[in-house]
């Protein structure tokens, strides 16, 4: 089975304080062999990139309304008159609040949803085929 990857490089802003933010290069990745998840790599090209993986559904919903609890929370907002998606990440090492351009995130998500529509993720995993192969033996 052939797998497809949908990637998008973009610059996020890490919100340090109400007056100060830091640019953070990032890459969004979606893989059909891991159809329920999105992968985000922060500090792309640096010596120590940071990897996060969480549910695609969480990001899809977070573009429209606040969602998530625990380690990953996502919600829409406005910054300087433009639509953004805020992503709050929490780990034992610390927390980060990141701002992403909503239009770029939504366009990338749309590509993933066309590739693997919601509800069809399980078909990508080929579990039924594997099970049928095992039972046939």
């Amino acid at each position: 089975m052939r797998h497809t990857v949908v990637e998008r490089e973009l610059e996020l802003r890490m919100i340090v304080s109400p007056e100060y933010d830091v640019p953070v290069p990032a890459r969004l990745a979606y893989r059909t062999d891991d159809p329920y998840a999105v992968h985000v790599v922060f500090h792309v090209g640096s010596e120590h990139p940071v990897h996060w993986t969480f549910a695609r559904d969480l990001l899809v919903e977070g573009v429209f309304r606040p969602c998530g609890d625990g380690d990953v929370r996502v919600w829409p907002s406005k910054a300087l008159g433009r639509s953004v998606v805020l992503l709050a990440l929490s780990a034992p090492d610390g927390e980060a609040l990141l701002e992403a351009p909503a239009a770029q995130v939504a366009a990338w998500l749309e590509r993933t949803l066309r590739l693997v529509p919601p509800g069809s993720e399980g078909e990508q995993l080929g579990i039924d085929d594997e099970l049928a192969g095992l039972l046939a033996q």
Side-chain angles (χ1 to χ4, degrees):
M1 178 180 230
R2 191 171 86 70
H3 296 292
T4 304
V5 177
V6 178
E7 291 185 325
R8 171 76 192 242
E9 302 241 348
L10 67 160
E11 186 172 281
L12 305 182
R13 314 289 305 166
M14 185 167 65
I15 310 300
V16 179
S17 74
E19 306 82 31
Y20 184 66
D21 60 56
V22 177
V24 178
R27 180 185 308 114
L28 301 174
Y30 178 78
R31 302 190 318 247
T32 58
D33 64 336
D34 191 7
Y36 293 102
V38 294
H39 304 270
V40 186
V41 179
F42 302 101
H43 303 291
V44 175
S46 75
E47 207 172 301
H48 303 286
V50 176
H51 299 261
W52 276 78
T53 301
F54 52 90
R56 177 176 70 165
D57 289 349
L58 185 64
L59 191 55
V60 169
E61 186 177 343
V63 168
F64 299 102
R65 67 186 144 272
C67 66
D69 54 9
D71 295 348
V72 180
R73 292 178 295 123
V74 186
W75 65 96
S77 190
K78 294 275 187 195
L80 303 173
R82 56 191 177 85
S83 295
V84 297
V85 176
L86 293 174
L87 185 62
L89 304 175
S90 179
D93 295 340
E95 297 181 350
L97 177 59
L98 297 144
E99 175 188 290
Q104 291 178 23
V105 172
W108 175 79
L109 278 171
E110 181 63 34
R111 289 173 53 207
T112 76
L113 294 168
R114 277 197 308 268
L115 187 62
V116 180
S120 71
E121 294 92 348
E123 298 165 21
Q124 297 295 315
L125 297 174
I127 292 171
D128 292 339
D129 296 336
E130 293 287 328
L131 186 57
L134 285 173
L135 294 175
Q137 293 177 359

